[in-house]
Amino acid sequence: MKAYIFPGQGAQFTGMGKDLYENSSTAKELFQQANEILGFNITKIMFEGTADELKETKVTQPAIFLHSTILAEVMGSKFQPDMVAGHSLGEISALVANKTLAFKDGLQLVYKRALAMQKACEKTPSTMAAVLGLEDHLVEEICANTTGIVVAANYNCPGQLVISGAIDAVEKACVSLKEAGARRALILPVGGAFHSPLMEPAREELAAAIEATQFAAPACPIYQNVTTFAVTNPSEIKENLIFQLTSPVKWTQSVQNMIKDGATKFIEVGPGNVLQGLVKKIDRSAETEKAEL
């Protein structure tokens, strides 16, 4: 069975999506539609922008979404998912690809999500840190025993967990994690504490937009970050998506459940190859490849 997986923030690069634009009239049309929906020329930033311009949350999130969803669309009959999943932002790309959301609705949600997250980041100085070489339960315990807001945010693969929270709490936790034997506990260059309680203002803002958006029955199950199991019920999908911003991304568990349910090949749709690497670390026997036209 084929599992199609969609990347999140951090996969962007200058020139992303340009090959799609130049080689497909469908892609060109969708990119132009995106410029109109967003009200600025995102294709120009994607194709020619600097790394700093692409790193802005309000650009990064729609740019990665566009690369992923337009690639899936242009693949046509070659895109045959038995199941889908997306890492953080990638979950919305996956929901467009499996026909739960219309392209326009997905893009508007991604843009609202980006702006709401940006606003929440500006409200409270916060950050994230990558923790390598420590078991999940130890990271969770240390976060729970650290004063201030710090939580496990991204379960990327065994031995690689990202924590998220207030700057001082994350820094204190990093010291304790190294003392407990972590190979690394490294502050990440991100704008704020994604997937933590500090994203509550963004969750509330996005919840209203999600509630007002039409969700259809999906063409195949989605394994969502919050629950990690196959979901096909549109109202359940909606609910999980609302809680995603303040809940951890359980990527390891999602991939394990997809494998348990019969996934043998994981195809990454969008920029970069980070997710292929994570899948291999979760299960070495899983086959991975990059989606191509």
Side-chain angles (χ1 to χ4, degrees):
M1 286 172 89
K2 288 180 184 174
Y4 282 79
I5 51 177
F6 296 79
Q9 214 158 323
Q12 69 275 5
F13 63 91
T14 300
M16 60 190 287
K18 198 175 180 188
D19 56 334
L20 294 172
Y21 186 91
E22 288 170 348
N23 294 308
S24 159
S25 56
T26 302
K28 188 176 258 188
E29 208 175 292
L30 288 169
F31 275 121
Q32 285 166 350
Q33 204 180 311
N35 289 337
E36 284 165 30
I37 292 166
L38 296 172
F40 68 92
N41 195 337
I42 192 164
T43 49
K44 192 172 169 55
I45 305 173
M46 288 172 72
F47 304 162
E48 302 163 22
T50 63
D52 278 346
E53 285 173 309
L54 270 173
K55 213 164 61 182
E56 265 192 90
T57 298
K58 69 170 189 177
V59 173
T60 313
Q61 294 198 20
I64 291 167
F65 167 88
L66 289 171
H67 193 294
S68 295
T69 53
I70 292 173
L71 174 55
E73 182 63 35
V74 172
M75 284 172 75
S77 60
K78 279 208 301 190
F79 183 76
Q80 296 278 345
D82 294 301
M83 52 184 84
V84 294
H87 191 287
S88 188
L89 146 78
E91 189 157 286
I92 301 178
S93 309
L95 287 169
V96 170
N98 83 345
K99 309 295 182 202
T100 304
L101 285 171
F103 172 77
K104 183 187 177 182
D105 291 340
L107 179 56
Q108 285 174 328
L109 278 184
V110 165
Y111 193 50
K112 282 174 185 163
R113 179 185 194 269
L115 295 177
M117 286 169 84
Q118 190 69 48
K119 217 189 289 179
C121 292
E122 285 159 11
K123 200 172 176 184
T124 312
S126 54
T127 193
M128 300 175 87
V131 183
L132 304 181
L134 213 57
E135 285 181 45
D136 292 352
H137 73 94
L138 288 173
V139 179
E140 290 161 354
E141 270 171 44
I142 287 166
C143 286
N145 292 322
T146 301
T147 312
I149 295 172
V150 57
V151 295
N154 292 1
Y155 293 79
N156 285 335
C157 66
Q160 189 193 119
L161 212 162
V162 175
I163 61 171
S164 181
I167 292 174
D168 58 340
V170 172
E171 285 172 348
K172 276 186 282 189
C174 284
V175 172
S176 306
L177 289 159
K178 282 179 192 161
E179 285 168 1
R183 200 163 71 246
R184 289 180 86 179
L186 184 75
I187 301 285
L188 295 171
V190 293
F194 304 143
H195 301 288
S196 83
L198 293 174
M199 283 292 120
E200 183 56 31
R203 187 195 69 79
E204 284 171 16
E205 211 172 302
L206 195 65
I210 290 171
E211 290 294 2
T213 303
Q214 192 176 349
F215 281 55
C220 69
I222 179 161
Y223 288 67
Q224 289 183 276
N225 295 174
V226 171
T227 60
T228 80
F229 298 107
V231 189
T232 52
N233 180 311
S235 55
E236 252 180 83
I237 291 172
K238 215 177 228 195
E239 201 177 317
N240 292 336
L241 197 59
I242 288 169
F243 286 104
Q244 197 223 53
L245 278 188
T246 50
S247 306
V249 172
K250 295 179 179 173
W251 188 250
T252 303
Q253 301 88 325
S254 298
V255 171
Q256 286 167 339
N257 284 332
M258 290 168 105
I259 291 167
K260 210 181 287 175
D261 292 347
T264 50
K265 183 185 272 194
F266 288 81
I267 301 148
E268 187 163 5
V269 191
N273 54 13
V274 170
L275 297 185
Q276 290 174 78
L278 295 181
V279 168
K280 280 289 188 196
K281 284 175 182 163
I282 294 163
D283 189 326
R284 221 174 284 170
S285 67
E287 201 184 323
T288 62
E289 68 177 49
K290 184 100 186 122
E292 279 167 356
L293 293 184

